[in-house]
Each structure stands twice: as structure tokens, then as C-alpha cells.
């Protein structure tokens, strides 16, 4: 199979993947959902926020990071998640899959690299079932409810990175925060005569707002990299064609990211970063808090087989989640990760790069409100990313 | 690149396209009334303009039963008019064993076989009397008072109730479900004379207080062949028949009636733009719902059975269906076409519900129809303006169901508050 055909095949799979793929979280019942970082498996394994990372990666946070790429290609990350939930002692499990980052990479010249990409931003997928009793027509009837939200907001970007010098590059991107969410409410009645028909109502909203991103990447010395980016957008609008669906306007997103990497030895690299984000602000009883994210990790390149290296990565990440009710504690997420990297084909000029990450994370929060003990989610998050390059 | 890489990639991407199952753990995070169901009873004044009943559908001559009554409940009398076509010829085997047509059979005996529906009749005993008729009558139009009641021609009986003449025979029903009344050869010969305008019979009861529902009385005849006198041929004949009764009922009335023979149907005129009707949410101050905006899970007419006029309570359980009526400027309301049944009561209404006050209310579920009624005109193909209550099922009764005027409507609606964005 030629490189061009491989890239075409991966692009086809990505097109299939553009169908809604999401992983539900009960924290997404608040506000506009749970943030999704548009990082690849390498960044996920290193606890990185995707900025200031030495070496090749396809995270979409900082458009300047792609500078220096010499081959055109495509990259996609897939993230299956398995979650166990504990709400006031009631436990259940869910699972799902996200596509945190998908991009097409195109070096125009040795200095200029363009890319078109799709990355995660907010996941609004959740589903809850419950059962209760209600007296209807003098009969105690069991009613079964399903409330489900499916969808989210993604960022679609056209990016350019330009290497002003071998050690300094700038980047910019323009695009949209866009997506949609479907909300579904279903109630069925277990009446003895089976004559009460079920209730089902669904509504869909579309989100959109323009965004702009700017960033730089600087290598002040050999083995040191610093990067930073800022993303800003217009007011996020939620619109619907469905009868009875109320339209909303939220605040503007603003994110600032900074990170750095240090090659401690020829075989060991350390990276760390942090970000501050203001997510689109909701009104009413839902509180939108600024979000701090920090993370970092180590990458060891001593695992070899002939000329091939298999980077081994460890990382840790902590972040706040933005949305909660006014009487609820702000939720947080803490995760520990590890991963491996593979270069396929010529180790010095690979035809493909595959990275794996496995993360054990826990989310907790929302205590003090409707659920006094709050919500705990423990999740296994596996990230697989694959980049293919043409020759 | 090795093929297994592509297999892995395809499997991972394909696996991502599945939908996650909802969790049972998080219901506490959502408002307890995220989905709310309300039950309302809407009074007739809010959705109905008027109702009226018409009683001209079908005729007693078309019924698959007959009714015999004598002063039942102090008012009802009913008799059966019968006319048989006696065959002029019979087929017999002659002495040589050849099948031949005998044009001169000698009818020497017969009996009328009356099979009584014991469930729909008063208890034994009752004496049935079979009389000759003395006047010609029209099977399609004869009534208790008129032997002919067709357009432009109304001929009264000389004696209301079929002008019974000479008694042919009697028998008493005391047990079982069959009564035989002997018919003599002279009467059979008279019935065989097709030139006689008075041929026929009147079957009635001479026992006061009785009401008997019967299947169509058959005539069993025995004839001796002129070709082979040792041969007796037995045959059973179905009648041309009708039954006549008093007191007669009006053609229409302002009280809902359903069923009977002739059949009653009740037409109800609906108010316009029912989608704009608002109701208060039970138990939630300040909450109102516009019925055109909510999902209706159940809708049913609430019919209060009332005692039917004496003698006219249905003799069998009654089933009722709801139809939409499609009025037209070209047709009177009574002849307006109907849709197929859009609602049906569960089970049947027992006759006892129409014999004394205080019977339980009967629900006639018609959820899909009620949904259409409360839809905005732009949301559906048409919003009915009238509905009609008709008897349902294949069993027809003589008596009819009577209901209190202007039925109420029970509806169950559900709304969701969680289908808005924060």
C-alpha cells in the first residue's frame, strides 16, 4: 500500500469518525459539558497540555508547534473511555469513545506548515435513567424516565505555523467552535391496561462562534523548548429550529496555554505546562468558573530495538471542570498516565508514528447540591493516535 | 505497513461509533420533576358545543335476531312478522331409485322452531302464540302502527301490532332454549298460495312481562311425495321477517344514545382551536399548560351511563366506538361520512349499567384522536369538528345505551423541563 493510499484510507476512517463520538460523564449534566483537550496520545501520556513539547506531536493547542514538519500527512487520535460512577453510594458504569484531535498536515515550504484540523472542546454527552411511582387515574403506575444529551462542541481550525528561525516559530489559526447537541426525554408508563402512551421529546441545538488562535514556540537553547498560545472567540450562540427550544447566547471563550520541555539527558526529557481558561459563560443557577489545568511528565527513550526507539512516557495532570450549580462544589480531575510510542518504517524517516496512552483518572465534585455527597467518577482513558506521512 | 495495523485501526474507529448506555446512578443530579406528568378532567363546556343523538340507522328487518315482548317493564310490546316461501316442488327418489322432481308434494305437518337467546331474554316461562296475518305488510317498513310506511304511502294496521288473525298454535318455553310451535297442513297450504296477500304469521307472547330475543325462527316442513308415497321429505325454511314494537322512539333526541335497532348514534360538536385551551397544573400554583404545546399520553371520553327508557335497556353487553364525523355542505349531518373507529371502550358495558342510576363511568380511550383534536391546524392534515359515538362489534342489540349529556374528557399529559439548555 503506497503512502498516498494509506493517507487516503486514514482520511476515510476520519470521515466515518466525524459521526458523533463521545463519552458520557455525569459532570456533563452541568453547563455546557466537560472540557476535552485536543491533544494526541503522546501529549496525553506526558500529562501535557499540548504546548512546548519537544519532538513531534499533533496536539492542536498551539499552532506554532507544527513548524519544521517536512512531510505532508494526516493524524487522528481516538480515545475510548471506561468510567465507573458513584453518586451517593449508587454505582454504575459507562463507556464511550471520543476523537480528541484529527488533522491534515501540509508543509508548504521548509518554513511554512499548514494544517486543517478538528479537535475536542466540550463534551455534552450524558444519559440518566430512573424509575418512580405516580398515581394516575387512581392507579399506582411505575414510570420509567430517560434523559439523554448527545453531542458537544468541537473546534475546527485552519492553522499555519511559520519558522522565523530554526529556534523560533510563530503560528496562527482561525476557525469555529461548532457542534450540536441533541437532548432527549422519554417517559414510559407501566400501567395495567397498557393504554398510556409513552412520552418522547427531542430537541437539537447548533453551536457556533468564530475563534482565533496565536502562539509561538521558542528553543532558547539546545534541549529546551518553550511554547505558549492564546485562543479567543466570539460569543457562543446556541440556535435551534425545534419548536419550544429556547435559544441561548453564552460568553466568549478565552484560553491561555504555556508549557516547556527540558531534555535532561540524551535519553530523558521532562515537560510541564499549565493553562487558564474561561469557558463560555452560562446564566441562571449554573456557575461558570475559570479553569486551571496543570500537568507534566517524563519521556524515556532508552528502550530500543536495533535502530528503533520506543519512547516510554509517564505523566500526571490535574484540572478543574468549569460548570457546576451555585450550591455545588467545583469539580476537579486528577489523572496519572503512561504510554509508549512507535515509529513504523524507516526509524529515521518514519512512514507512520503511532502512540498509545493509558490514563487512570478520577473526577470528583458537585458536592453540597442536589447530591450532598457529590459525584465520583473513576475512569480508564486509552488514547491511540496515528500519523501517516507521504513520501 | 503490516496488515494487522490497518485491522486494528479499523476496529478502533468502528468501535467508536457505538452509543453509550445511560446510567442509573445520576438521577439525583437532575430535578425530580425533570419530566412531569399531569392528569386533567376537562369539562364538556370547555371542548364541546353540543351533542345530539340520531336513531334512524338500520331497520328491524335487517337485524339478525327477532324480539318478542309482552308488556315488558310495563311498556314494551314486540311481535315478529313472518312469511315463508313454501317450495312448489320437491326432489325425491322414485320407486326405481331415480331422482325426480315432484311438483305435487303434500305438506302434512310443520312446526316453527324458535331458538331463544337465554342470556338476552327474561327467564322462563313464557307462552308463544303464532297467529295468521290478516293483512298484507311490507317487510322493510312495517311498524307497530303501520303495515306499510314507505315514502308517500302509509297504511295502518286495522289492529296495531300486526293485526293477528286466527291462532295457528301455541307453546310454552319452560326450559332449554328451543320452543316448537306446531303448524297445521291447512296453514301451510295457505302460506303456499302466493296469490294470497294475507299469507304470513305473527309471533308474539301472551305472557306479560316477557322479553325474548330469538334467532330467526325457521319453519320445518314435512311433505309426502306424490311419486313415492312412502317417502317423507323434511325441509327447513328461513323466513322473510321483521319485528314490530311499541312504543316507537323519536328520530333524534338531545341525550346521548348508542346502539339499539334501529341503531342510535350520538354526534358531538367540538369547539374550535382546542390547541389554545389552557389548563392549570394540578398541585403547582401558577403553572398552566397550553394543551397544544404538550405531549398527550392518554385521552378518553368519560361516559356516564344513565337508565334507558323502560323496555329499551340493551339486552346484551354494549360496545362503543368513537369515530370522527366528516360533515359536508352537500349532506345533512345525519348522513355525514365517518372515519374508521378511532377509539373503543375496553371490554363492554353491562346491561345493568342502563337499568338503574349510579352506574360506574365508562372510559372510551382515543388517545391518537385526542392528540389531533388538540393540535394546531398547521401541524395536522385536518382537525375534526365533530365526533360520533356508534355501537361497535358485530352484535346488535334491540335496546340502546343512554348516557348523561356532554361527556367530560380525561387527558394525561407529560412535559419535560430538562429539554432546555442552561
Amino acid at each position: 500500500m503506497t503512502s498516498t493510499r494509506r493517507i487516503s484510507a486514514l482520511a476515510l476512517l476520519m470521515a466515518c469518525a466525524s459521526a458523533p463520538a463521545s463519552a458520557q460523564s455525569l459532570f456533563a449534566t452541568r453547563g455546557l459539558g466537560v472540557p476535552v483537550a485536543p491533544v494526541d496520545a503522546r501529549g496525553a501520556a506526558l500529562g501535557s497540555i499540548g504546548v512546548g513539547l519537544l519532538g513531534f506531536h499533533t496536539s492542536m493547542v498551539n499552532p506554532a508547534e507544527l513548524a519544521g514538519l517536512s512531510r505532508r500527512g494526516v493524524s487522528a487520535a481516538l480515545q475510548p473511555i471506561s468510567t465507573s460512577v458513584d453518586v451517593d453510594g449508587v454505582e454504575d458504569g459507562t463507556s464511550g469513545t471520543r476523537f480528541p484531535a484529527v488533522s491534515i498536515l501540509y508543509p508548504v515550504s521548509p518554513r511554512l506548515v499548514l494544517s486543517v484540523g478538528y479537535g475536542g472542546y466540550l463534551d455534552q454527552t450524558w444519559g440518566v435513567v430512573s424509575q418512580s411511582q405516580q398515581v394516575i387515574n387512581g392507579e399506582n403506575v411505575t414510570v420509567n424516565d430517560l434523559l439523554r444529551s448527545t453531542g458537544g462542541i468541537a473546534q475546527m481550525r485552519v492553522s499555519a505555523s511559520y519558522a522565523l528561525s530554526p529556534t523560533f516559530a510563530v503560528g496562527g489559526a482561525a476557525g469555529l467552535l461548532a457542534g450540536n447537541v441533541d437532548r432527549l426525554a422519554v417517559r414510559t408508563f407501566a400501567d395495567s391496561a397498557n393504554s398510556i402512551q409513552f412520552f418522547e421529546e427531542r430537541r437539537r441545538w447548533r453551536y457556533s462562534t468564530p475563534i482565533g488562535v496565536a502562539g509561538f514556540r521558542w528553543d532558547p537553547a539546545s534541549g529546551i523548548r518553550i511554547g505558549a498560545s492564546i485562543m479567543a472567540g466570539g460569543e457562543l450562540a446556541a440556535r435551534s429550529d425545534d419548536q419550544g427550544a429556547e435559544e441561548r447566547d453564552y460568553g466568549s471563550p478565552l484560553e491561555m496555554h504555556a508549557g516547556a520541555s527540558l531534555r535532561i539527558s540524551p535519553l530523558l526529557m521532562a515537560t510541564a505546562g499549565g493553562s487558564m481558561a474561561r469557558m463560555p459563560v452560562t446564566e441562571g443557577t449554573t456557575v461558570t468558573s475559570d479553569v486551571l489545568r496543570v500537568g507534566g511528565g517524563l519521556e524515556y527513550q532508552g528502550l530500543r530495538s536495533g535502530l528503533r526507539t520506543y519512547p516510554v512516557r509517564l505523566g500526571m495532570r490535574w484540572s478543574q471542570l468549569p460548570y457546576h450549580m451555585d450550591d455545588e462544589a467545583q469539580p476537579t480531575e486528577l489523572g496519572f498516565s503512561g504510554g509508549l510510542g512507535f515509529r513504523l518504517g524507516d526509524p529515521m524517516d518514519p512512514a507512520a508514528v503511532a502512540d498509545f496512552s493509558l490514563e487512570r483518572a478520577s473526577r470528583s465534585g458537585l458536592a453540597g447540591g442536589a447530591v450532598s455527597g457529590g459525584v465520583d467518577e473513576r475512569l480508564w482513558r486509552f488514547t491511540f493516535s496515528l500519523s501517516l506521512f507521504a513520501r | 505497513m503490516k496488515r494487522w495495523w490497518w485491522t486494528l485501526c479499523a476496529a478502533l474507529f468502528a468501535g467508536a461509533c457505538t452509543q453509550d448506555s445511560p446510567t442509573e446512578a445520576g438521577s439525583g443530579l437532575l430535578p425530580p420533576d425533570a419530566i412531569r406528568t399531569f392528569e386533567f378532567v376537562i369539562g364538556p363546556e370547555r371542548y364541546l358545543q353540543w351533542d345530539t343523538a340520531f336513531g334512524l340507522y338500520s331497520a328491524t328487518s335487517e337485524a339478525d335476531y327477532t324480539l318478542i315482548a309482552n308488556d315488558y317493564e310495563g311498556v314494551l310490546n314486540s311481535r315478529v312478522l313472518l312469511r315463508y316461501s313454501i317450495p312448489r316442488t320437491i326432489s325425491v327418489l322414485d320407486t326405481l331409485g331415480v331422482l325426480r322432481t315432484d311438483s305435487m308434494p303434500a305438506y302434512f305437518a310443520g312446526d316453527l322452531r324458535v331458538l331463544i337467546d337465554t342470556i338476552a331474554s327474561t327467564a322462563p316461562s313464557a307462552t308463544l302464540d303464532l297467529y295468521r296475518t290478516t293483512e298484507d305488510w311490507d317487510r322493510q317498513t312495517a311498524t307497530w302502527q303501520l303495515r306499510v310506511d314507505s315514502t308517500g304511502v302509509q297504511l295502518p294496521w286495522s289492529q296495531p301490532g300486526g293485526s293477528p288473525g286466527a291462532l295457528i298454535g301455541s307453546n310454552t318455553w319452560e326450559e332449554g332454549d328451543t320452543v316448537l310451535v306446531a303448524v297445521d297442513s291447512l296453514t301451510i297450504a295457505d302460506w303456499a298460495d302466493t296469490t294470497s296477500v294475507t299469507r304470513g304469521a305473527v309471533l308474539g307472547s301472551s305472557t306479560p312481562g316477557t322479553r325474548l330475543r330469538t334467532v330467526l325462527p325457521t319453519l320445518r316442513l314435512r311433505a309426502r311425495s306424490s311419486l313415492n308415497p312412502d317417502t317423507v321429505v323434511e325441509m327447513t325454511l328461513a323466513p322473510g321477517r321483521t319485528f314490530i314494537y311499541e312504543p316507537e322512539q323519536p328520530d333524534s333526541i338531545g341525550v346521548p344514545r348508542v346502539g339499539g335497532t334501529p341503531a342510535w348514534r350520538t354526534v358531538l360538536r367540538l369547539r374550535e382551536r382546542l390547541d389554545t385551551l389552557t389548563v392549570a397544573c394540578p398541585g403547582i400554583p401558577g403553572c398552566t399548560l397550553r394543551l397544544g404545546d404538550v405531549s398527550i399520553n392518554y385521552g378518553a371520553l368519560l361516559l356516564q351511563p344513565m337508565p334507558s327508557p323502560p323496555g329499551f335497556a340493551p339486552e346484551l353487553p354494549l360496545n362503543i366506538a368513537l369515530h370522527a364525523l366528516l360533515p359536508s355542505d352537500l349532506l345533512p349531518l345525519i348522513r355525514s361520512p365517518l372515519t374508521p373507529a378511532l377509539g373503543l371502550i375496553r371490554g363492554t358495558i353491562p346491561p345493568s349499567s342502563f337499568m338503574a342510576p349510579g352506574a360506574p363511568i365508562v372510559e372510551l380511550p382515543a388517545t391518537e384522536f385526542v392528540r389531533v383534536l388538540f393540535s394546531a391546524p398547521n401541524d395536522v392534515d385536518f382537525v375534526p369538528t365533530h365526533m360520533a359515538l356508534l355501537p361497535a362489534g358485530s352484535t346488535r342489540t334491540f335496546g340502546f345505551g343512554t348516557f348523561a349529556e356532554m361527556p367530560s374528557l380525561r387527558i394525561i399529559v407529560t412535559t419535560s423541563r430538562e429539554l432546555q439548555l442552561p
Side-chain angles (χ1 to χ4, degrees):
Chain A
M1 189 179 285
T2 65
S3 298
T4 304
R5 289 172 65 186
R6 288 174 195 152
I7 290 171
S8 302
L10 186 59
L12 194 63
L13 286 174
M14 288 160 54
C16 157
S18 63
S22 49
Q24 65 173 299
S25 166
L26 287 179
F27 292 95
T29 60
R30 298 298 185 251
L32 296 178
V34 174
V36 179
V39 298
D40 63 359
R42 182 172 179 238
L46 289 168
S48 168
I49 59 164
V51 178
L53 191 56
L54 277 167
F56 173 75
H57 70 101
T58 57
S59 299
M60 289 178 56
V61 181
N62 181 7
E65 300 275 327
L66 288 176
L69 187 70
S70 58
R71 294 195 180 279
R72 65 184 187 277
V74 295
S75 177
L78 179 73
Q79 196 171 68
I81 301 173
S82 176
T83 308
S84 61
V85 187
D86 185 336
V87 183
D88 265 355
V90 181
E91 296 184 6
D92 201 356
T94 66
S95 61
T97 300
R98 290 175 178 151
F99 292 94
V102 177
S103 57
I104 297 172
L105 316 169
Y106 196 89
V108 178
S109 71
R111 287 176 177 266
L112 180 63
V113 179
L114 299 180
S115 76
V116 177
Y118 159 95
Y121 186 68
L122 283 166
D123 192 340
Q124 300 180 357
T125 300
W126 53 270
V128 171
V129 292
S130 62
Q131 192 173 76
S132 59
Q133 300 284 322
Q134 187 163 347
V135 176
I136 299 174
N137 200 8
E139 179 188 358
N140 206 17
V141 175
T142 300
V143 296
N144 301 291
D145 293 341
L146 164 67
L147 290 166
R148 186 192 282 279
S149 169
T150 307
I153 304 171
Q155 42 188 315
M156 283 163 276
R157 297 179 175 186
V158 177
S159 305
S161 64
Y162 189 79
L164 295 172
S165 73
T167 58
F168 190 80
V170 295
L176 288 173
L177 284 184
N180 55 55
V181 64
D182 293 287
R183 289 208 165 189
L184 170 70
V186 177
R187 169 168 281 189
T188 57
F189 302 85
D191 59 311
S192 58
N194 197 27
S195 61
I196 306 177
Q197 298 185 8
F198 70 95
F199 162 80
E200 178 178 316
E201 194 168 311
R202 61 178 72 223
R203 288 173 184 160
R204 164 172 282 208
W205 286 266
R206 303 177 307 278
Y207 296 104
S208 68
T209 190
I211 55 169
V213 189
F216 72 92
R217 189 192 74 186
W218 179 38
D219 297 344
S222 175
I224 300 176
R225 174 166 290 178
I226 298 171
S229 69
I230 182 169
M231 183 193 83
E235 287 200 342
L236 181 69
R239 299 289 179 260
S240 177
D241 297 327
D242 293 340
Q243 186 179 10
E246 297 174 6
E247 299 186 336
R248 295 277 193 272
D249 289 301
Y250 302 100
S252 308
L254 177 65
E255 293 189 0
M256 292 172 288
H257 308 273
S261 298
L262 171 65
R263 191 166 300 285
I264 301 170
S265 75
L267 296 179
L268 188 65
M269 183 204 71
T271 185
S275 71
M276 201 61 200
R278 184 189 70 205
M279 311 302 281
V281 177
T282 57
E283 296 180 348
T285 55
T286 301
V287 175
T288 307
S289 299
D290 290 346
V291 172
L292 175 65
R293 299 177 202 152
V294 293
L298 296 169
E299 182 176 67
Y300 175 69
Q301 306 224 20
L303 186 60
R304 291 172 178 272
S305 170
L307 290 175
R308 294 184 194 281
T309 60
Y310 301 98
V312 179
R313 298 153 187 148
L314 293 174
M316 191 268 298
R317 187 176 45 78
W318 178 87
S319 65
Q320 296 170 312
L321 303 182
Y323 298 110
H324 54 98
M325 307 300 279
D326 52 11
D327 55 353
E328 294 173 340
Q330 184 176 8
T332 59
E333 179 176 330
L334 174 65
F336 297 92
S337 54
L340 271 177
F342 298 87
R343 292 190 160 205
L344 307 175
D346 182 354
M348 306 309 292
D349 187 12
V353 173
D355 293 296
F356 299 88
S357 163
L358 183 63
E359 185 179 8
R360 179 61 166 168
S362 66
R363 295 180 182 134
S364 60
L366 305 182
V371 178
S372 58
V375 178
D376 287 303
E377 288 185 350
R378 297 189 181 280
L379 52 97
W380 288 102
R381 184 158 42 205
F382 175 76
T383 309
F384 165 65
S385 61
L386 177 68
S387 301
L388 299 177
F389 300 102
R391 294 186 181 276
Chain B
M1 188 181 292
K2 292 180 180 176
R3 194 176 299 276
W4 66 268
W5 269 105
W6 288 102
T7 306
L8 175 64
C9 291
L12 287 170
F13 277 87
C17 295
T18 57
Q19 185 164 31
D20 203 358
S21 300
T23 175
E24 298 178 1
S27 58
L29 289 169
L30 302 171
D33 55 355
I35 302 176
R36 298 187 297 186
T37 297
F38 300 105
E39 185 178 2
F40 308 98
V41 174
I42 297 177
E45 71 284 356
R46 301 200 68 192
Y47 80 102
L48 284 179
Q49 293 189 30
W50 49 257
D51 58 8
T52 191
F54 300 105
L56 291 171
Y57 304 93
S58 79
T60 54
S61 60
E62 298 166 354
D64 59 357
Y65 69 94
T66 59
L67 194 86
I68 302 165
N70 184 345
D71 203 29
Y72 175 65
E73 294 190 340
V75 293
L76 178 66
N77 294 294
S78 178
R79 292 172 184 161
V80 182
L81 301 180
L82 298 165
R83 185 179 283 149
Y84 295 92
S85 295
I86 309 297
R88 293 176 176 276
T89 62
I90 59 175
S91 296
V92 294
L93 294 173
D94 63 12
T95 53
L96 300 175
V98 178
L99 184 64
R100 296 181 59 185
T101 299
D102 182 355
S103 59
M104 298 181 61
Y107 293 101
F108 63 92
D111 49 56
L112 190 74
R113 182 184 178 90
V114 183
L115 190 62
I116 295 171
D117 182 341
T118 56
I119 295 175
S121 302
T122 52
S125 70
T127 298
L128 299 183
D129 300 320
L130 185 65
Y131 299 91
R132 291 192 184 192
T133 50
T134 56
E135 295 173 280
D136 191 18
W137 45 277
D138 177 27
R139 189 176 74 85
Q140 305 287 344
T141 63
T143 65
W144 188 267
Q145 298 291 338
L146 302 172
R147 57 191 179 93
V148 179
D149 187 14
S150 57
T151 305
V153 179
Q154 291 188 323
L155 302 175
W157 296 105
S158 57
Q159 181 185 348
S163 297
L167 181 67
I168 298 171
S170 295
N171 203 348
T172 300
W173 171 46
E174 290 182 324
E175 58 183 15
D177 59 5
T178 305
V179 180
L180 298 177
V181 180
V183 179
D184 58 85
S185 58
L186 198 59
T187 300
I188 296 170
D190 184 55
W191 287 352
D193 180 5
T194 55
T195 63
S196 170
V197 296
T198 62
R199 71 188 181 95
V202 180
L203 178 64
S205 169
S206 57
T207 306
T210 55
R211 184 200 62 193
L212 309 178
R213 178 182 165 118
T214 76
V215 299
L216 304 182
T218 55
L219 179 64
R220 188 172 61 182
L221 291 181
R222 286 178 291 281
R224 183 167 288 116
S225 170
S226 62
L227 301 177
N228 187 351
D230 292 337
T231 298
V232 173
V233 175
E234 187 171 295
M235 66 194 76
T236 300
L237 305 178
R241 88 294 172 190
T242 186
F243 65 90
I244 55 178
Y245 61 91
E246 67 162 354
E248 293 177 7
Q249 294 294 309
D251 293 344
S252 66
I253 195 167
V255 177
R257 287 181 174 179
V258 180
T261 306
W264 286 89
R265 74 173 57 159
T266 296
V267 176
L268 303 101
R269 176 74 162 100
L270 295 154
R271 292 189 180 278
E272 295 178 353
R273 292 304 305 268
L274 292 176
D275 60 304
T276 62
L277 196 65
T278 58
V279 290
C281 311
I284 303 179
C287 167
T288 58
L289 295 173
R290 186 176 180 270
L291 291 179
D293 296 338
V294 297
S295 171
I296 295 177
N297 309 107
Y298 179 77
L301 284 180
L302 300 179
L303 300 168
Q304 173 62 66
M306 302 287 288
S308 291
F312 287 90
E315 67 278 16
L316 288 170
L318 188 63
N319 203 346
I320 295 178
L322 176 71
H323 301 249
L325 187 133
L326 309 171
S328 161
D329 293 338
L330 304 176
L331 291 171
L333 194 61
I334 192 172
R335 296 189 186 279
S336 295
L338 298 166
T339 66
L342 302 172
L344 197 66
I345 62 169
R346 285 190 291 270
T348 53
I349 310 172
S352 59
S353 291
F354 303 103
M355 301 177 82
I361 288 175
V362 175
E363 284 201 16
L364 198 165
T367 302
E368 292 298 335
F369 179 67
V370 172
R371 280 180 175 171
V372 173
L373 290 186
F374 288 95
S375 297
N378 294 336
D379 294 342
V380 291
D381 292 337
F382 88 106
V383 178
T385 57
H386 296 72
M387 56 185 178
L389 300 173
L390 270 71
S394 57
T395 301
R396 290 286 176 263
T397 59
F398 170 74
F400 46 80
T402 306
F403 301 92
E405 284 186 68
M406 305 282 275
S408 296
L409 188 64
R410 181 194 302 283
I411 60 173
I412 296 170
V413 305
T414 300
T415 64
S416 173
R417 298 171 59 199
E418 275 303 300
L419 281 185
Q420 298 294 350
L421 293 177

